[in-house]
Amino acid sequence: MEASVEQLVYVREDEYTVARMSAESTPSFVAAGRALAGVQPGETLELTGEWGEHPRHGRRFTVTACERVVPSTTRAIQLYLGSGLIRGIGPRLAQAIVGHFGEATLTVIDTEPQRLTEVVNIGPARQGQILEAWREQKEIAALMVVLQGFGVSPLLAAKIFQVFGRDSAELVASDPYQLIGRVRGIAFGTADKIALQSGVPEHSPQRIKAALLDRLESAAARGGHCYLSMTALLTQTAELVEQDQDVVRPMIDALTAERRVVVEAAPDQIVVYGKELHSRELKLAEHVDRLWRARSTLPMRPFQEDPALHDDQKAAVTMALTSTVSVLTGGPGCGKSHTVRVIAATVRAMGGRVTLAAPTGKAAKRLSELTGLPAMTIHRMLAQQPDPDKLFDQTPAQADLIVVDEASMLDLHLATRLTSAIPSGSHLLLVGDSDQLPSIGPGSVLADLLRVEEIPRVRLTHVFRQADGSGIIQNAHRIKAGRLPAIPGGGGFWFEELDDPEAVAERVVHLATVAIPRKQGVEPGQVQVLCPMRKGVAGTAELGRKLQERLNPARDDRAEHWSGTSAFRVGDRVMPIRNNYDKGVFNGETGTITDIVQEQRLVEIVIDDGDTVTYGFDELDDLTHAYAISVHRSQGSEYPFVVAPLVAESGGIMLRRRLLYTLVTRARSWVVLVGERKALELAVARLGDRRNTGLTRRLAHLLA
């Protein structure tokens, strides 16, 4: 039958799609199946399938095949044009266009687009915008057909078109390996599937080189590694392409000659870097060396030592004032923030200037609240440079001491940008908890610096009285020491034992949306769900979907837009997962969707710091819902109430001591862990793998 898509109801991770449809013979019905992957409201489809009865949801049409067709009725044409698929046309303008041209509307747009100006409110500029969007949609639809022919998800078509534009179809056919790393969701497996079907030989240099680069990029993205050993790279690549290592090894030499990888001798092994990460690591080491060797510009004057400070806090003050590069570390309740406040006050009393910064907006806000001093994100600090080559010139922004809190979040890229911008003579104090998870991005900057003996550091270990009664802090220190938390923990720490992952997920949702808000008299927005894993019934994807349906379900009077497997609705809590310097938003910040403008294909978001930003529909891959987020993405943030599932599904691959420790320390008042005791035991027992980085080795050589 031929039917129009009225609304998407559900899109599963495996692309199984449920949609509300309408047809002449059946005005309203539900269709479902993976064949519907990628369809959008407003499209007209030719469906093949059969009617059946779903045990929970009733009568529905199970789709086995679908093909996009040109809408033929005026209602279908109006629905298509007004759905937001064509930028520049909203529901009212769609009604006006169809009212003027009737069933000939799409023919007019295709063959006589200049006639659009006959419609009220369409001038030459809007007519050009509509025509460009119309052509773009036709090309994306054609690209979907190409991808389906290769057995590849049509959901990738819009993403590919966004990057490569009108060259997309040609590129997919001629060199699909170029898609790797440039289009989110396309790794070697997808590109290779297209290439092999296009006739690329299994042993071709093009294929082997793409696989080598993919293994290096995957190691950085998934494991935070800056390099792989030659042995590991050869083994992983040979397995990926199902070829002998003898075929793979010469391609490393070829990539080296092309300056796309760097092969280097390290202690006891040969290692291989991607070019960019190697360059960043070298630059970071050089700038730390420059700052460490520089003569201090801090005006040193006698100062009054605070007698209330603990001995290790006094040592930290002295270190920050006398060392141009230093590290202050310690666990929760050990007084890091108070020590920073004293250091900043001392520098100011001596006539110096201080800048406090953190990697994310939430971390900067928290630093400001704890110290009583203004703080900003590192990104904003860098953006305020009067000279692009210097962080602080002879301006009011000049600083003698730069304090960076939550330094465990610094990845190789951000740390290099930061240190390269600081002038010689300024003091850099990195503050963080080295027992927390490392950065989301590649590198392990804080841990690497702590391994360099020449760099001064102070570790605060004394837990102050006000923290003694906190079950959260007490159990955080137990976890850090490799001991199981006290159960029942009391003092804001709770563990609720459940063995069935489905039951765990339901309990987490109930606690976050009903039980805790009711007991504590707070809104559900005060409760944050943190997950060790993304996949599975208790992962961020499924739990986020359940929480969204509970807290912000679809409503006829509330705008929504589907992007891939996610529905974005007005009122949704969202989080950028990439830094966007043009928009001024950064990974880890959160905000609320306040408007969805279908006509302009835009989503409007108010970030928690009050700024308003917009994302185009083609940029929504840069956002994720914030109802349930990974522990990694919670770094630098603190929430009044935290609820987290602990399940050993798939071996509990992400369960590690640092992850559990970071999770627990995100809560200010309550943390509730729900799940299996064996998962809790697994998390405490596993130390986790050390990242492959060369920063410590480089600094030890430079500073010696």
Side-chain angles (χ1 to χ4, degrees):
M1 76 174 93
E2 188 173 296
S4 297
V5 184
E6 299 277 349
Q7 181 186 23
L8 292 178
V9 177
Y10 179 70
V11 184
R12 209 163 57 192
E13 286 291 303
D14 64 358
E15 298 177 2
Y16 179 86
T17 301
V18 180
R20 196 171 305 284
M21 314 282 288
S22 63
E24 284 192 38
S25 59
T26 312
S28 179
F29 68 97
V30 171
R34 292 188 66 186
L36 291 172
V39 303
Q40 290 289 319
E43 291 184 315
T44 298
L45 311 172
E46 186 177 90
L47 304 177
T48 302
E50 60 182 16
W51 290 102
E53 197 75 18
H54 189 278
R56 285 179 58 194
H57 303 295
R59 191 167 184 259
R60 63 168 53 181
F61 190 76
T62 300
V63 181
T64 55
C66 92
E67 184 178 336
R68 288 166 176 80
V69 296
V70 177
S72 55
T73 67
T74 55
R75 183 185 181 282
I77 294 170
Q78 186 173 320
L79 179 66
Y80 177 67
L81 292 180
S83 66
L85 280 169
I86 309 300
R87 183 181 287 105
I89 302 180
R92 289 184 180 178
L93 190 56
Q95 184 178 8
I97 294 171
V98 175
H100 186 77
F101 296 113
E103 292 183 357
T105 296
L106 300 185
T107 303
V108 169
I109 296 176
D110 240 351
T111 61
E112 301 177 274
Q114 69 277 2
R115 289 190 59 196
L116 284 170
T117 56
E118 296 174 14
V119 180
V120 176
N121 293 328
I122 297 183
R126 178 169 279 192
Q127 182 258 350
Q129 181 187 28
I130 292 170
L131 183 59
E132 179 65 25
W134 172 257
R135 288 171 176 165
E136 180 180 308
Q137 280 304 311
K138 289 185 71 175
E139 288 171 356
I140 291 173
L143 185 57
M144 283 182 169
V145 174
V146 171
L147 294 176
Q148 285 176 313
F150 287 115
V152 173
S153 169
L155 292 176
L156 296 169
K159 299 177 184 180
I160 295 171
F161 191 88
Q162 182 186 354
V163 177
F164 296 103
R166 290 178 178 163
D167 297 327
S168 298
E170 181 183 344
L171 184 77
V172 166
S174 63
D175 189 7
Y177 294 115
Q178 283 197 44
L179 303 173
I180 301 171
R182 299 182 66 183
V183 179
R184 189 165 180 240
I186 296 185
F188 179 82
T190 300
D192 195 46
K193 186 176 185 179
I194 298 171
L196 291 177
Q197 290 186 56
S198 300
V200 174
E202 291 185 356
H203 57 274
S204 73
Q206 176 192 25
R207 181 174 185 248
I208 306 300
K209 286 192 282 189
L212 284 163
L213 293 172
D214 177 77
R215 291 301 83 196
L216 289 173
E217 290 166 6
S218 178
R222 296 182 182 180
H225 300 300
C226 296
Y227 66 78
L228 283 176
S229 69
M230 178 70 78
T231 302
L233 180 59
L234 285 171
T235 301
Q236 291 180 23
T237 307
E239 289 176 354
L240 184 63
V241 297
E242 297 181 332
Q243 299 287 314
D244 291 337
Q245 291 190 16
D246 291 344
V247 176
V248 175
R249 182 65 181 84
M251 293 303 102
I252 296 180
D253 296 333
L255 288 171
T256 304
E258 295 169 13
R259 297 186 178 181
R260 298 171 75 184
V261 304
V262 177
V263 179
E264 199 172 74
D268 304 321
Q269 61 180 341
I270 303 297
V271 302
V272 185
Y273 283 83
K275 180 185 176 182
E276 182 186 8
L277 289 181
H278 183 264
S279 174
R280 298 263 181 178
E281 197 174 82
L282 280 177
K283 287 181 180 177
L284 177 56
E286 290 167 0
H287 284 297
V288 171
D289 176 53
R290 171 182 61 82
L291 294 173
W292 181 78
R293 293 182 184 279
R295 192 173 192 176
S296 172
T297 58
L298 181 66
M300 285 298 292
R301 298 174 187 169
F303 64 92
Q304 186 69 39
E305 194 174 75
D306 187 342
L309 292 179
H310 193 267
D311 287 346
D312 52 9
Q313 291 178 304
K314 293 176 183 177
V317 174
T318 301
M319 174 187 71
L321 297 179
T322 57
S323 304
T324 49
V325 177
S326 59
V327 179
L328 173 61
T329 187
C334 291
K336 293 193 299 295
S337 299
H338 179 67
T339 306
V340 168
R341 183 165 61 240
V342 172
I343 291 170
T346 304
V347 170
R348 289 181 169 186
M350 294 192 302
R353 298 194 180 192
V354 180
T355 293
L356 303 185
T360 67
K362 278 195 172 182
K365 183 179 180 182
R366 186 169 166 232
L367 176 62
S368 181
E369 290 170 350
L370 291 171
T371 61
L373 300 169
M376 67 182 79
T377 65
I378 295 171
H379 308 279
R380 292 194 193 284
M381 183 170 68
L382 293 170
Q384 291 178 9
Q385 297 179 75
D387 180 328
D389 296 321
K390 287 186 178 181
L391 177 55
F392 305 112
D393 207 339
Q394 298 301 318
T395 69
Q398 183 180 11
D400 301 289
L401 170 68
I402 301 102
V403 180
V404 176
D405 196 20
E406 297 289 354
S408 62
M409 298 176 67
L410 286 175
D411 64 12
L412 192 58
H413 302 291
L414 184 55
T416 304
R417 289 189 68 224
L418 171 69
T419 55
S420 65
I422 298 175
S424 300
S426 291
H427 289 222
L428 172 62
L429 173 63
L430 298 177
V431 182
D433 188 343
S434 59
D435 294 301
Q436 286 187 22
L437 285 170
S439 56
I440 293 176
S444 187
V445 175
L446 181 63
D448 285 350
L449 292 176
L450 286 169
R451 294 186 188 105
V452 181
E453 292 183 5
E454 289 79 5
I455 294 179
R457 84 290 307 274
V458 168
R459 179 181 291 274
L460 304 181
T461 57
H462 177 74
V463 179
F464 288 89
R465 273 200 305 269
Q466 61 266 33
D468 287 347
S470 168
I472 294 172
I473 291 177
Q474 288 176 359
N475 279 316
H477 284 282
R478 289 176 68 96
I479 292 166
K480 183 170 69 172
R483 297 160 58 202
L484 283 171
I487 301 172
F493 182 96
W494 302 94
F495 175 68
E496 186 170 325
E497 189 170 354
L498 285 174
D499 288 334
D500 176 47
E502 292 275 4
V504 170
E506 290 299 327
R507 182 60 176 160
V508 166
V509 171
H510 180 74
L511 284 166
T513 60
V514 179
I516 292 176
R518 186 168 56 201
K519 184 176 179 64
Q520 297 298 314
V522 297
E523 293 296 318
Q526 295 287 93
V527 185
Q528 181 63 56
V529 173
L530 301 182
C531 301
M533 295 190 288
R534 180 182 179 277
K535 295 184 177 179
V537 296
T540 56
E542 279 304 309
L543 272 178
R545 191 192 302 273
K546 289 177 183 291
L547 288 162
Q548 182 192 35
E549 289 306 311
R550 191 72 61 90
L551 298 172
N552 193 29
R555 288 183 2 199
D556 291 340
D557 62 344
R558 180 170 290 170
E560 73 172 24
H561 174 76
W562 280 82
S563 176
T565 60
S566 299
F568 290 91
R569 298 175 184 139
V570 170
D572 274 342
R573 295 284 293 160
V574 292
M575 171 184 286
I577 57 174
R578 286 187 184 83
N579 297 331
N580 188 314
Y581 303 107
D582 294 332
K583 296 182 189 297
V585 297
F586 307 104
N587 189 350
E589 293 184 319
T590 51
T592 302
I593 295 177
T594 53
D595 197 8
I596 296 176
V597 187
Q598 296 284 1
E599 184 176 347
Q600 297 303 320
R601 297 178 61 80
L602 292 174
V603 174
E604 183 181 275
I605 300 163
V606 174
I607 302 298
D608 288 348
D609 65 6
D611 289 347
T612 298
V613 297
T614 57
Y615 277 79
F617 285 179
D618 57 0
E619 297 177 300
L620 294 180
D621 261 3
D622 288 351
L623 292 178
T624 187
H625 288 92
Y627 295 108
I629 62 175
S630 70
V631 180
H632 241 130
R633 297 202 183 281
S634 73
Q635 283 181 273
S637 299
E638 188 179 73
Y639 311 97
F641 307 96
V642 167
V643 184
L646 290 181
V647 297
E649 255 188 333
S650 304
I653 191 168
M654 296 301 294
L655 293 174
R656 296 288 190 274
R657 188 181 302 173
R658 285 192 176 195
L659 182 140
L660 181 61
Y661 173 77
T662 303
L663 187 164
V664 169
T665 54
R666 297 311 88 202
R668 185 162 61 242
S669 299
W670 274 27
V671 60
V672 183
L673 308 178
V674 182
E676 303 162 282
R677 180 176 287 271
K678 67 178 179 182
L680 180 63
E681 293 170 350
L682 197 63
V684 172
R686 282 181 175 168
L687 286 174
D689 300 324
R690 181 169 165 176
R691 291 183 168 184
N692 295 338
T693 67
L695 182 61
T696 297
R697 169 170 52 87
R698 299 185 197 285
L699 284 173
H701 175 74
L702 288 171
L703 304 185

